[in-house]
Amino acid sequence: MSTLPMSDRQTRVHAKLRTVLMELSGFDLNELDNNSTFLELGFDSLFLIQFSQAIKKHFGAKISFRQLIEDVSTPVALIGFLDQKVSDDVLPAAAAASAPEAGD
């Protein structure tokens, strides 16, 4: 796992992206190397297509399969991309993004 210094907004993007990824794959974004490419993390092309569709559904931001393997190919890059593309109203509240996990 790689810890990233993130702005509050990026933390909120990360929190929502973590939820989307968990729902799709069962992987926890916090347990992955955020600097490795999605392909290096073991995500195949079918999964990346589904992931791009889920990102559009949950974030309202269009990202193509090609972008996920070329330009926005790591979790760090994807967080930065979404930080620039999505509006605040689709992100969790600041307090919810930094709240401890349920069961803690």
Side-chain angles (χ1 to χ4, degrees):
M1 175 179 76
S2 175
T3 304
L4 305 170
M6 292 189 279
S7 69
D8 174 64
R9 183 174 161 77
Q10 289 172 328
T11 300
R12 293 167 53 213
V13 169
H14 180 270
K16 185 163 185 165
L17 187 61
R18 179 177 180 229
T19 301
V20 171
L21 188 62
M22 279 285 270
E23 288 174 3
L24 279 177
S25 71
F27 287 105
D28 186 341
L29 190 57
N30 290 340
E31 296 175 0
L32 300 176
D33 179 355
N34 288 306
N35 293 304
S36 292
T37 68
F38 293 115
L39 295 176
E40 290 170 340
L41 293 170
F43 299 141
D44 63 16
S45 58
L46 178 60
F47 176 80
L48 290 175
I49 291 168
Q50 294 170 337
F51 192 35
S52 72
Q53 292 168 344
I55 289 168
K56 184 176 182 184
K57 176 183 173 188
H58 291 279
F59 288 92
K62 186 175 180 180
I63 186 163
S64 69
F65 164 74
R66 173 165 273 177
Q67 286 174 290
L68 287 173
I69 60 171
E70 291 178 1
D71 306 326
V72 189
S73 63
T74 66
V76 169
L78 183 55
I79 289 167
F81 174 86
L82 292 171
D83 181 34
Q84 298 297 313
K85 297 288 183 184
V86 302
S87 62
D88 279 336
D89 61 330
V90 301
L91 298 176
S98 60
E101 306 237 353
D104 282 352

